[in-house]
Amino acid sequence: MIEETWGNIRGELLKSVGRNNYANWIEPLEFSALTDGVATFLVPTQFMGNWVSRNFGEQILQELSNAGQSVSRVEFSVPRQALAPRRQPAVRPKPTVINDGEDLPGAPLDGRFTFDTFVVGKPNELAHAAARRVAEGGPVTFNPLFLYGGVGLGKTHLMHAIACELQRREQGLRIVYLSAEQFMYRFVQALRDKDMITFKQLFRSVDVLMIDDVQFIAGKDATQEEFFHTFNALVDQGKQIVISSDRAPTEITGVEDRILSRLQSGLVVDLHPTNYELRLGILQQKVEHYSEQFPNLEIANGVLEFLAHRISSNVRVLEGAMMRLFAFGALVGREITLELAQDCLSDILRHSDRKITVEEIQRKVSDHYNIRLSDLIGPKRVRTFARPRQVAMYLAKTMTSRSLPEIGRRFGGRDHTTIMHGVRKIEELKQQDSQIADDLELLRRSLEG
């Protein structure tokens, strides 16, 4: 086949594959030989050869046949001189983590964010276990791992921990960690520089791809398209993908259905808001850490419990409060007492102290159990109404500053001893009945949100 024939075939391919695909994938091809029905083309990289073969091989074969060439197969090979510099060095390379500190704004992987420093409790135990499984390496069991939850619940901590653990376990592993915003930045930069081949090689030749805050691609059609193809290419190769978001895949608006379907095809794990026990555990860990820096500083009994109760919305705020307390105590040379904590953290405590009313609790509970508000506070004692009523009493006692007689008046004029009985009953049941415990946690999250 002469060069002129290949030139005519490339003209037909330009019409059928489009200008962008032609510029990225067809134009770099160099015809080499036609032997025994096999047409061989030279390509700059093996990655490109595999891509063209998979996506445009049949079209090229068809155009060759239309041009009168007797061809049964097309092959793509890299010239020997192009392969030489890429030979494996004698010493195995260290694990490569391309992170947001390489040539994009942002911080690199944080060495403090490991599994050892991650406090595990009921709200995050499944996410922690799933992250641990991915960090063990080996065969991919669920792909992608999708972590979602609100601000400050540990998503980024777990992603950094996975990357750090994989680095430690497997030499030479190629890991890419970056935010969805930075993925888009690289994509736009590659378009501007007309260097999509390098972009595709970078993201489709990795062992583990980790994308933080994937909700950022919502509404970015071109970025979504490239993300979709990158996702599929890696899954086809059996490579691991880990994604985080501030909401569940079904709640991300402005994202194509086919992408949402891919995001839900693996394991989707919710990091729930922290409960009291988990917050207390986090504070205790922080005290151990800060005690090494401030060995002579003492913290009074009850301070940690007070903070775990009062600061419930955000772990980062909780950790910041602890840091402020130790810094203040060290500067003034005083023991960290409850009084000092209230004075030093007055702004944080005011912000966290949202007033929840008994009436608001009653409405939430009646909606949750699908009963009428009048039945919740009314005299009927059937189980259908009595158990939700006791749940509402318990929440009113633990989440408001109202006295038992005041709560009783808001529940149809009941005596304070009735409220006490209801509170004790729920305290017993939540230890024995997981459904009651889950209902309480869900209602508490809804009220605090």
Side-chain angles (χ1 to χ4, degrees), residues 204-334:
R204 302 183 193 188
S205 61
V206 301
D207 298 301
V208 182
L209 176 63
M210 310 181 78
I211 303 288
D212 211 353
D213 293 324
V214 77
Q215 74 276 359
F216 186 83
I217 69 171
K220 316 290 194 308
D221 293 343
T223 303
Q224 288 185 42
E225 181 77 17
E226 187 55 43
F227 176 79
F228 175 78
H229 292 304
T230 298
F231 187 105
N232 285 345
L234 291 175
V235 170
D236 289 345
Q237 297 174 55
K239 305 300 185 182
Q240 180 69 60
I241 300 173
V242 183
I243 294 170
S244 81
S245 173
D246 64 356
R247 68 206 76 166
T250 53
E251 297 174 356
I252 304 176
T253 58
V255 174
E256 296 179 22
D257 289 342
R258 58 177 180 166
I259 295 178
L260 294 179
S261 175
R262 296 298 189 278
L263 295 179
Q264 297 176 84
S265 62
L267 179 62
V268 179
V269 185
D270 179 7
L271 281 89
H272 298 286
T274 57
N275 56 20
Y276 169 76
E277 290 78 12
L278 180 55
R279 291 193 295 272
L280 187 58
I282 292 170
L283 288 172
Q284 290 169 341
Q285 184 196 65
K286 286 296 175 184
V287 168
E288 291 179 12
H289 173 72
Y290 288 129
S291 294
E292 297 175 3
Q293 301 178 42
F294 310 102
N296 299 322
L297 196 59
E298 295 183 1
I299 185 164
N301 292 333
V303 173
L304 299 187
E305 290 81 0
F306 170 76
L307 295 178
H309 268 301
R310 291 290 299 275
I311 305 175
S312 59
S313 59
N314 192 316
V315 172
R316 290 175 189 164
V317 174
L318 192 66
E319 292 176 339
M322 199 75 251
M323 179 186 294
R324 188 195 296 188
L325 275 184
F326 269 89
F328 188 82
L331 289 171
V332 301
R334 288 167 53 191

Side-chain angles (χ1 to χ4, degrees), residues 362-404:
Q362 290 171 337
R363 286 195 299 272
K364 288 285 187 182
V365 171
S366 60
D367 289 343
H368 179 78
Y369 288 104
N370 196 27
I371 62 177
R372 292 182 301 181
L373 182 59
S374 59
D375 290 326
L376 180 76
I377 63 178
K380 295 179 181 178
R381 296 186 179 183
V382 294
R383 186 183 179 85
T384 309
F385 305 139
R387 188 68 74 230
R389 186 182 299 135
Q390 290 174 333
V391 167
M393 291 174 179
Y394 174 83
L395 292 172
K397 175 65 175 66
T398 57
M399 297 188 72
T400 75
S401 58
R402 298 295 180 184
S403 65
L404 292 177

